[in-house]
Every structure is written in structure tokens, then in C-alpha cells.
């Protein structure tokens, strides 16, 4: 590879996280990163590292993860989309691609991250939604969950909703919406950045409120509390990384070949 | 088992057909029937045959398949639901159960069958919807497909939309609706009975019309034609057995323990 000829490519990725150990390298099994890098090598002959915008755990899904890598090969963005999809396994798909500046860092450049958590309140489990929702199996008090969500909104110390963490645990939760559609309850959260496991560690106690096992005050009182005090995280299978927003970069799947504007 | 003590139980079944050779016994791999019968044996000690309302092929899914079996064990319907779900694999789920008359035959007693076919017109394939939609990858002319559907409605000889078949190939298609939601096009069909593969063999040419490769007249002219002349079937993965209706029997998942009225 000739350094002068390198271009940086950003890709929009959908995946079913069920079969993977997470988005980034893990010693104990395949990751989205290892599969993506293998596909890049098959397509281009390059052996770059792919940098991911958000870290997702084993079993967590993505509708719009973003990764970037360098390439010496002069393919158009839509050729990267088609070529990588040819080499990737069926549970990982590239939805769009764009050439970006050579200093583009998908994690640091992100302006907003959107996550969705799906809760199945049906009395019996679903076959088709296995590994894609958290089956709590009972009706929940959605209004109580909505009131709890409203109290978690804004700038707070979210240490209680993460494990031990080096650095500031203050984050600003810009949106936290609880909605219901039939038997399914969905929680969407939006922030510039989240602590590790924060979404699942917030969904856990919010659902306890919905089930009547914790009060709204209990959960609100966790803000500013010590690491891990919020209790168990909701299972990975219900969580989706929906979207990551960047100023001036569109990787929208509609086009299939986004461009940095 | 004591014959006099036998009761007949009907169950409502959801499944992801991807891993199975079809609803009924096959020599070359597991079927929904073999898994259901194994779960019944584990739960009750009985070794009955389960009779299915509709035959689905390898890879076809069900939101509401119906099966019936005899049991010597005095469990309530909701206990059958919970107990069978405990022993069934995660990609098969019992949604409801009811005690029915000892002569109940789920295939012959069916009053209406509803199938859904999902077509993904997005230019790029989806990771989460793999094995659950047919990815045609191009926009389709939905209005042309709707006009074709209207011409297939009613009582016709559907031999062209099935392989060689013993007996009458006249069926009455009561509903055939093509709808669009974003990139997804859905075809729903409803009839008292369908020929083997009929839904997929109708979806194939209807989609060819949507893609501009066949005319509405071409497809309408197949009615009354010879076996198999409609051409290739649409892939199994996009097809769902949605619902089977019976006079006086409710297996609705809402209750989790339906009853014959």
C-alpha cells in the first residue's frame, strides 16, 4: 500500500448481533469488526483496521452502526456497498458508504447516538422475535415508565447506570421516550455519548418500575449514585443501535452510496 | 394410555421455519411436527401423532399454524401452553391451546386460511430481515401488482400455480391484497384452501409484473392453464402462514388459553 493513495471510507452497517461476541474484537469468538475486516481484505486486498463509532455488546443489534477504514483501492462508494455485502455473512449488511476525510474518526466525530430497546409483554414467548426482544411476559405500567423517563432526562451523573468507569460519568440524555404498540413497549434514548452498558442499565430499573417492583423515586434517586448501584442490566437481545448522526455526513441507506457534503 | 380418558387438544403455533425441513415429517431433517411431538412426550409421557392444519415447506414461517393431538393427561389449556413452550426450541412457540371435540380435524375443519408474503425492495439486503423477506432489490410497480391481484381473485382453475396435483385444481381466492410500507411490499391471500405451493407460485409471477418482466395479461392468462406453467415460485423465506379460522373455536394468543365455544 502507498500511504499517499489511501482514502478513508465510512460505512453504515446493520447487523443481527446474536451470533457475535460484540462489535469489536474479542478473544472468544467472532466480532462484527473481524468479519468486516475480513470482507475488506477479500474485496480490496488491503488489511486495514476498522474503527467503530459505537461499541455494542454480544447479542446487541445495529440498524445503523458506523465504521471507517482506509483503502488503497479506487472503488466507488456503491461498489464498496455491493462488494462488502458479497463477502459478509448474511447477518451483517452494509447499507451505505461514503468517502470521508482522511482524519475522520467515527467515534469522536459523532454528534448524536440513538438506541432503541424492545420489550415484549405478551404472556407467551415469541418464536420469530426470540433474540430480538426482551420477553418480560407481563403487562407493564407504561405511564409510570414514561414518568420515570422524564426524570432521567437531561444532564446528570449516570455512574449508577454503569460499571466502574475511569473519567467523568456525567452525560446529557437528550431524549428518553417510552411508547407502546400492542404487546410491545419500546424505549428510545438519544445522547451525544453514553457510558458503557448505560442504556441496558437504565432499561432494567425502568422496567422494574413498569412491573411495580420499584418506584419512580427509587430510580430517580440513583442519579448521582455510586457505580453499578442501579442493579442488573436488561438483556442484550432487546437492544438496537439505531443511528449515529454526524455534521455534514450522510450515509443514508436510501441512496446506498452516501457522500460527505 | 386408556382410550376412554383421551382428550383432544388444539394448539396455536408460531415458528421461524428457517431451521426446519417443513411443518410435517421429513426424512432429511427436523420438522415442526417432530419437535412438537417430542415436546408433548416430554410434558405428558404420551406419544401421540400431531395433525397439522396446513402444510408449510422448509423455510416457511407461521404466525398461527394449528395442530391437534390426543392426550391422556389432565392439564388445563394454559398448562399445555406453558409446558410445551418449556420443552420446545426457541424458534417454535405455542401461543394458545384449547380442548376440542375428539373428532376435531384441524385440516378438514378449517374455514379460512390466511397467508402473507413479504418482499423487500431495498437496493441493499438486510441483515435482520434475512430469511424473513424475499430481497428483490428493486422498486416494483405496486399498482400493476394490485391490478394483477384483482384479476386472480375469485373461483378459478389454479393448476398453473401448482405442480402436478391429483384432484380438482379449482380454488376460490377470497382476498389478494398488495400493500406497500416504505421499502416493503406485502401480499396477503385468503382462501378456504390452497393448492400446494400456490401462494409462492402466485407471488412469483405477480412480482415479475411488478418488475416489468411480465404483463398483467400474461399472468391472468395462466388461469385455467396446465400444471406448473406459471414458472418459478417465490422463495420460501418470505412466506408466513398467518391465521387459520374455525367456526366456534378461538385459539387467540391474547387469552393464552382459548376454548371451543
Amino acid at each position: 500500500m502507498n500511504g499517499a493513495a489511501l482514502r478513508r471510507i465510512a460505512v453504515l452497517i446493520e447487523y443481527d448481533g446474536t451470533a457475535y461476541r460484540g462489535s469489536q474484537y474479542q478473544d472468544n469468538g467472532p466480532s462484527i469488526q473481524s468479519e468486516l475486516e475480513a470482507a475488506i481484505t477479500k474485496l480490496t486486498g488491503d488489511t486495514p483496521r476498522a474503527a467503530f463509532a459505537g461499541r455494542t455488546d454480544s447479542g446487541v443489534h445495529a440498524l445503523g452502526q458506523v465504521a471507517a477504514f482506509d483503502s488503497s483501492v479506487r472503488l466507488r462508494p456503491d461498489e464498496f456497498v455491493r462488494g462488502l455485502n458479497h463477502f459478509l455473512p448474511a447477518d451483517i449488511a452494509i447499507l451505505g458508504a461514503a468517502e470521508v476525510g482522511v482524519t475522520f474518526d467515527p467515534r469522536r466525530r459523532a454528534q448524536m447516538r440513538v438506541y432503541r430497546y424492545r420489550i415484549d409483554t405478551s404472556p407467551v414467548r415469541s418464536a420469530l422475535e426470540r433474540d430480538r426482544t426482551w420477553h418480560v411476559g407481563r403487562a407493564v405500567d407504561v405511564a409510570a415508565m414514561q414518568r420515570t423517563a422524564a426524570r432521567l432526562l437531561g444532564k446528570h451523573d449516570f455512574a449508577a447506570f454503569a460499571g466502574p468507569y475511569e473519567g467523568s460519568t456525567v452525560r446529557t440524555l437528550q431524549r428518553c421516550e417510552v411508547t407502546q404498540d400492542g404487546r410491545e413497549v419500546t424505549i428510545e434514548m438519544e445522547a451525544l455519548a453514553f457510558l458503557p452498558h448505560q442504556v441496558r442499565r437504565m432499561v432494567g430499573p425502568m422496567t422494574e418500575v413498569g412491573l411495580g417492583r420499584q418506584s419512580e423515586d427509587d430510580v430517580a434517586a440513583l442519579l448521582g449514585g455510586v457505580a453499578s448501584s442501579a442493579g442488573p442490566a436488561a438483556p442484550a437481545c432487546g437492544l438496537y443501535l439505531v443511528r449515529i448522526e454526524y455534521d455534514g455526513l450522510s450515509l443514508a441507506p436510501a441512496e446506498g452510496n452516501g457522500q460527505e457534503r
Side-chain angles (χ1 to χ4, degrees), chain A:
Chain A
M1 287 201 290
N2 179 339
L6 284 182
R7 301 149 66 214
R8 186 157 291 183
I9 306 296
V11 288
L12 184 68
I13 318 171
E14 177 191 349
Y15 50 82
D16 176 347
T18 308
Y20 297 95
R21 301 303 305 175
S23 55
Q24 268 97 326
Y25 280 135
Q26 298 290 334
D27 290 338
N28 53 354
S31 63
I32 308 301
Q33 182 180 12
S34 61
E35 297 291 333
L36 175 61
E37 292 176 359
I40 295 167
T41 300
K42 285 175 186 164
L43 178 66
T44 65
D46 297 334
T47 55
R49 283 300 177 103
F52 278 66
R55 181 181 287 270
T56 61
D57 294 325
S58 180
V60 173
H61 315 295
L63 300 169
Q65 174 70 276
V66 174
F69 58 88
D70 291 335
S71 176
S72 64
V73 174
R74 301 212 69 78
L75 294 174
R76 294 191 314 268
D78 63 301
E79 294 172 325
F80 273 107
V81 173
R82 277 202 301 277
L84 292 173
N85 279 332
H86 176 73
F87 289 112
L88 282 166
D91 52 5
I92 306 176
I94 304 295
L95 303 182
E99 183 172 349
V100 292
V102 291
T103 61
F104 178 82
D105 178 327
R107 189 172 67 80
R108 291 168 199 266
R109 272 281 299 276
Q111 298 291 309
M112 191 64 73
R113 291 170 164 87
V114 181
Y115 283 90
R116 181 179 302 150
Y117 197 94
R118 295 177 57 199
I119 296 169
D120 178 7
T121 69
S122 305
V124 292
R125 65 177 175 80
S126 164
L128 282 157
E129 298 297 338
R130 76 185 189 288
D131 299 330
R132 305 205 172 177
T133 59
W134 178 20
H135 179 235
V136 301
R138 284 176 47 198
V140 294
D141 181 344
V142 173
M145 293 173 71
Q146 288 167 333
R147 290 191 298 270
T148 308
R151 293 175 70 174
L152 298 172
L153 265 188
K155 186 175 180 178
H156 302 286
D157 180 351
F158 286 97
F161 300 95
Y165 185 75
E166 300 266 333
S168 169
T169 49
V170 174
R171 295 289 184 276
T172 300
L173 187 63
Q174 301 228 16
R175 187 166 68 90
C176 185
E177 276 179 5
V178 184
T179 55
Q180 181 161 30
D181 180 9
R183 299 283 187 154
E184 183 167 324
V185 174
T186 300
I187 303 177
E188 280 205 8
M189 296 190 199
E190 196 170 313
L192 168 60
F194 290 92
L195 295 167
H197 311 287
Q198 183 181 345
V199 178
R200 288 165 53 199
R201 282 176 183 263
M202 291 179 70
V203 169
M206 287 174 72
T207 305
E208 291 287 291
V209 171
L211 293 166
R213 295 176 186 151
Q214 282 192 38
S215 72
E216 299 159 45
D217 287 344
D218 290 342
V219 177
L222 291 165
L223 293 170
V226 298
S228 307
S229 56
C237 60
L239 183 59
Y240 297 73
L241 170 52
V242 173
R243 189 170 70 246
I244 300 172
E245 294 173 9
Y246 298 92
D247 267 357
L249 173 66
S250 166
L251 288 163
E255 287 75 50
N257 53 353
Q259 293 199 345
E260 193 163 27
R261 289 185 300 262

